[in-house]
């Protein structure tokens, strides 16, 4: 990036593409509000749209981890293990026989 005499940054598209991962890594995921990018994003609407898309992806990904899925209880795992130990399924056994065994 080059700085002009009035200390505002002028960024090229190549510099933006190179630094984009850094902006996301060091920011909060909402880089469209970053003062270092305001002028660049105003001058480059395609880059601004890309940033908005990335921000939406980051927000959606964050939402995936907000409500962690609760693991099944130990009792569920014990029932599965017990069922696997007691089940003796012969791959040659017709499904009708297996169905009859399961209703007993």
């Amino acid at each position: 990036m080059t700085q002009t005499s009035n200390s505002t940054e002028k960024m090229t598209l190549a510099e933006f593409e190179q630094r984009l991962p850094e902006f996301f890594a060091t920011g909060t995921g909402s880089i469209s509000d970053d003062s270092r990018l305001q002028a660049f994003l105003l001058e480059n609407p395609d880059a601004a749209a890309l940033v908005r898309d990335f921000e939406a992806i980051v927000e959606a990904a964050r939402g995936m981890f907000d409500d962690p899925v609760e693991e099944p209880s130990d009792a569920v795992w014990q029932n599965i293990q017990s069922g696997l130990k007691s089940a003796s399924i012969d791959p040659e056994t017709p499904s009708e026989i297996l169905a009859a065994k399961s209703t007993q």
Side-chain angles (χ1 to χ4, degrees), residues 81-94:
Q81 287 177 337
S82 296
L84 290 173
K85 287 178 185 173
S86 67
S88 57
I89 299 174
D90 180 1
E92 303 294 322
T93 305

Side-chain angles (χ1 to χ4, degrees), residues 12-33:
T12 66
L13 266 173
E15 289 171 326
F16 169 75
E17 289 175 4
Q18 182 180 6
R19 296 201 51 205
L20 187 59
E22 173 192 335
F23 287 129
F24 273 100
T26 60
T28 61
S30 179
I31 67 168
S32 59
D33 296 332

Side-chain angles (χ1 to χ4, degrees), residues 3 47 50 63 72 80-81 93:
Q3 289 195 359
L50 177 67
I80 291 171
Q81 287 177 337
T93 305

Side-chain angles (χ1 to χ4, degrees), residues 62-74:
R62 230 184 242 131
M64 293 174 64
F65 298 104
D66 287 344
D67 293 328
V69 176
E70 191 173 313
E71 286 289 322
S73 70
D74 289 340

